[in-house]
């Protein structure tokens, strides 16, 4: 028997029509006047913004860095939904959960609808920013380190179920820890109110998703065969590490394409100083799930660095580079 809290899932499912952003687009819509003088993205989330090589740039170039940071963040969020979370949730809904209680399937299907709406919200955010900033050029931006790590892992795997379960491990981490990063954007008073609003709308759904996946994770684990359980226990730490790995690739691409002088040096200075290594994830929910599954001591991962007593991740200014979107 699974020890999932069915009453909590039923409560979340029943509240979905009132709670979900997608269910009331009129009430829960992106809000706030566009103010060209405000940055699109928080300077505190750009690890090198205080570097003298950036500080001496003209203001329009500094603003372009933040605008492309915002566009890049949105693109990575869409990619995370499309390539990591949605395939994994689909696999759970169609292969793992049938035969279990209906409310588990209902819960995942509701979550999938939310995630599809999030991709639309973030694609709209990109279009709105391009229109308001009159951007008619494009930029090549690399996929996130999280996505690259999952793809690397999948290439080493043989069995289809291994690839599917690897995605489930990454999606579980994404779903149960994304709030910390969204909190930073949703609470930031310096950026475009419209952009803050996008993060707020996404975040309100993700608070429910982290509770949902915290319970569904138990049902899923209970459904696995012994060898699948072993695989999941080995893979979860790989996912946990991938989500807090330092990732400057997007910023490097932005600086290079904006022709910022000494871009490589600026990035290298930040990497060496350790900026960008701060946590943008709150792993307290994952630690709790592992504990409830009885696998905490089997996981090759040190949770003590990644959860705080308040349950919120450390979000020190000027130290966040990861851009681990979802
Ligand atoms: Fe989402
Ligand atoms: Fe989600």
């Amino acid at each position: 028997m699974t020890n999932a809290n069915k009453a909590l899932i039923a409560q979340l499912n029943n509240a979905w029509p009132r709670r979900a952003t997608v269910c009331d687009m009129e009430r829960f819509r992106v809000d706030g006047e566009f103010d060209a003088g405000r940055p699109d993205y928080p300077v505190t989330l750009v690890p090198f913004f205080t570097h003298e090589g950036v500080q001496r740039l003209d203001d329009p170039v500094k603003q372009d860095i933040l605008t492309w940071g915002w566009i890049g963040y949105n693109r990575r969020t869409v990619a995370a939904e499309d390539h990591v979370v949605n395939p994994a949730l689909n696999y759970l809904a169609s292969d793992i959960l049938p035969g279990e209680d209906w409310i588990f399937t209902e819960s995942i299907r509701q979550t999938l609808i939310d995630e599809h709406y999030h991709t639309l919200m973030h694609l709209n955010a990109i279009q709105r920013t391009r229109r308001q900033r009159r951007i008619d050029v494009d930029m090549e931006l690399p996929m996130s380190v999280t996505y690259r790590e999952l793809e690397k892992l999948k290439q080493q795997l043989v069995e289809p179920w291994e690839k599917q379960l690897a995605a489930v491990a990454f999606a579980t981490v994404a779903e149960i820890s994304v709030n910390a990063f969204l909190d930073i954007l949703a609470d930031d008073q310096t950026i475009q109110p419209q952009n803050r609003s996008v993060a707020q709308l996404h975040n309100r759904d993700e608070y429910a998703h982290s509770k949902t996946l915290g319970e569904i994770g138990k049902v899923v684990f209970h459904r696995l065969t012994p060898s699948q359980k072993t695989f999941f226990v080995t893979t979860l730490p790989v996912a946990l590490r991938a989500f807090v790995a330092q990732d400057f690739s997007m910023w490097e691409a932005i600086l290079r394409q904006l022709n910022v002088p000494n871009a490589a040096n600026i990035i290298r200075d930040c990497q060496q100083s350790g900026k960008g290594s701060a946590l943008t994830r709150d792993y307290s929910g994952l630690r709790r799930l592992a504990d409830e599954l009885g696998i905490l001591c089997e996981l090759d991962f040190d949770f003590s660095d990644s959860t705080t007593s308040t349950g919120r991740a450390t979000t020190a200014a000027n130290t966040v580079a990861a851009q681990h979107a979802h």
Side-chain angles (χ1 to χ4, degrees), residues 81 115 118 175 202 206 209 326:
E81 306 278 24
E115 303 302 5
H118 297 163
E175 289 295 307
H202 192 158
E206 295 304 337
H209 293 182
H326 151 56

Short mmCIF file of all heavy atoms in Angstrom, two decimals, residues 81 115 118 175 202 206 209 326, ligand 1:
data_model
loop_
_atom_site.label_atom_id
_atom_site.label_comp_id
_atom_site.label_asym_id
_atom_site.label_seq_id
_atom_site.Cartn_x
_atom_site.Cartn_y
_atom_site.Cartn_z
N GLU A 81 9.33 22.59 -19.68
CA GLU A 81 7.97 22.03 -19.70
C GLU A 81 7.83 21.03 -20.85
O GLU A 81 7.33 19.92 -20.66
CB GLU A 81 6.91 23.14 -19.88
CG GLU A 81 6.95 24.29 -18.91
CD GLU A 81 6.26 24.02 -17.58
OE1 GLU A 81 6.14 22.84 -17.22
OE2 GLU A 81 5.86 24.99 -16.92
N GLU A 115 0.68 22.83 -16.97
CA GLU A 115 2.01 22.99 -17.58
C GLU A 115 1.90 23.48 -19.03
O GLU A 115 2.70 24.30 -19.47
CB GLU A 115 2.80 21.68 -17.55
CG GLU A 115 3.01 21.07 -16.17
CD GLU A 115 3.73 21.97 -15.17
OE1 GLU A 115 3.99 23.13 -15.47
OE2 GLU A 115 3.99 21.50 -14.06
N HIS A 118 1.34 27.04 -18.94
CA HIS A 118 2.57 27.79 -18.59
C HIS A 118 3.42 28.05 -19.84
O HIS A 118 4.00 29.13 -19.99
CB HIS A 118 3.39 27.03 -17.54
CG HIS A 118 2.67 26.87 -16.24
ND1 HIS A 118 3.03 25.95 -15.29
CD2 HIS A 118 1.56 27.50 -15.75
CE1 HIS A 118 2.20 26.03 -14.27
NE2 HIS A 118 1.31 26.96 -14.53
N GLU A 175 9.47 19.77 -10.17
CA GLU A 175 8.16 20.10 -9.62
C GLU A 175 8.18 20.40 -8.13
O GLU A 175 7.40 21.20 -7.64
CB GLU A 175 7.17 18.96 -9.89
CG GLU A 175 6.76 18.84 -11.33
CD GLU A 175 5.98 20.05 -11.82
OE1 GLU A 175 4.99 20.43 -11.18
OE2 GLU A 175 6.40 20.63 -12.82
N HIS A 202 2.62 31.78 -12.61
CA HIS A 202 3.20 30.44 -12.71
C HIS A 202 3.39 29.85 -11.30
O HIS A 202 3.07 28.69 -11.03
CB HIS A 202 4.53 30.52 -13.46
CG HIS A 202 5.07 29.19 -13.87
ND1 HIS A 202 5.98 29.03 -14.90
CD2 HIS A 202 4.84 27.92 -13.41
CE1 HIS A 202 6.27 27.75 -15.03
NE2 HIS A 202 5.59 27.07 -14.14
N GLU A 206 2.52 26.29 -9.20
CA GLU A 206 3.59 25.38 -8.78
C GLU A 206 3.54 25.06 -7.29
O GLU A 206 4.02 24.02 -6.86
CB GLU A 206 4.97 25.93 -9.18
CG GLU A 206 5.19 26.03 -10.68
CD GLU A 206 5.01 24.71 -11.42
OE1 GLU A 206 5.13 23.63 -10.80
OE2 GLU A 206 4.70 24.76 -12.63
N HIS A 209 1.50 22.15 -7.38
CA HIS A 209 2.19 21.01 -8.00
C HIS A 209 3.20 20.38 -7.06
O HIS A 209 3.40 19.17 -7.07
CB HIS A 209 2.93 21.45 -9.27
CG HIS A 209 2.02 21.86 -10.37
ND1 HIS A 209 2.46 22.24 -11.61
CD2 HIS A 209 0.65 21.94 -10.42
CE1 HIS A 209 1.43 22.55 -12.37
NE2 HIS A 209 0.33 22.38 -11.66
N HIS A 326 11.67 26.27 -14.93
CA HIS A 326 10.64 25.29 -15.25
C HIS A 326 9.35 26.07 -15.33
O HIS A 326 9.07 26.89 -14.49
CB HIS A 326 10.55 24.21 -14.19
CG HIS A 326 9.16 23.65 -14.08
ND1 HIS A 326 8.50 23.12 -15.17
CD2 HIS A 326 8.30 23.59 -13.07
CE1 HIS A 326 7.30 22.74 -14.80
NE2 HIS A 326 7.13 23.03 -13.55
FE1 LIG B 1 5.07 24.88 -14.73
#
